[in-house]
Amino acid sequence: ISMLLAKTLLSLSIKTRLSAALFMKISHARSHTHNTLQEARVLSLQSHTVHGYVGNKAATFPLQLLGLDVDPLNTVHFSTHSRYGNLRGESTTSEQVDTLIEGLKLNSV
C-alpha cells in the first residue's frame, strides 16, 4: 500500500503532498502506539475552484480516504485555477476566516 500511496502522491499538488506526508507521520505513530485515528482532525485552509481539482477540492477526499476527519475552509472560491484566462470569484477575508474558526470553537469541533 505504501508504494501505491507514494505513486499517487506524485500526481498531487504540493499542498496535498504535504498533507499526506503529515498523515503518514500520524499513521506511523499510530502503528507504534496502537491508537486509532477516529479523533484525528484536519482543518484544511486552501483555495477552492468550481472547475478542476486544486486546493481543498483536491485535498479533502484523499485525506478522508486515509481516515482523517477533514474540515475544509476555503481561502478563495474561484471559477477555475488562476492559470485560466478569465478568473472569476472572490477571496475569503481574514474576518470571515476568524468568524468561521470561532464558530468551530464554539461548537467544540
Side-chain angles (χ1 to χ4, degrees):
I1 294 177
S2 296
M3 188 60 122
L4 176 61
L5 180 59
K7 288 180 181 180
T8 304
L9 290 177
L10 292 175
S11 65
L12 300 175
S13 72
I14 291 172
K15 288 181 182 178
T16 304
R17 278 187 253 161
L18 291 173
S19 297
L22 172 63
F23 168 76
M24 292 189 326
K25 287 182 180 181
I26 292 170
S27 180
H28 178 70
R30 178 186 64 169
S31 67
H32 292 293
T33 61
H34 305 292
N35 291 333
T36 65
L37 285 178
Q38 290 178 347
E39 296 180 20
R41 302 180 61 88
V42 174
L43 178 59
S44 178
L45 289 106
Q46 298 188 60
S47 63
H48 174 82
T49 61
V50 175
H51 174 78
Y53 294 94
V54 298
N56 272 328
K57 196 168 177 185
T60 301
F61 184 61
L63 292 172
Q64 289 170 331
L65 285 177
L66 294 171
L68 295 167
D69 188 3
V70 182
D71 293 324
L73 198 161
N74 299 324
T75 57
V76 298
H77 189 81
F78 290 154
S79 56
T80 56
H81 188 277
S82 58
R83 285 187 282 194
Y84 282 82
N86 297 301
L87 182 65
R88 299 291 185 268
E90 54 190 37
S91 298
T92 306
T93 66
S94 60
E95 291 83 15
Q96 290 170 322
V97 170
D98 289 343
T99 298
L100 292 169
I101 291 174
E102 179 185 359
L104 292 171
K105 286 179 182 179
L106 290 171
N107 289 297
S108 300
V109 293

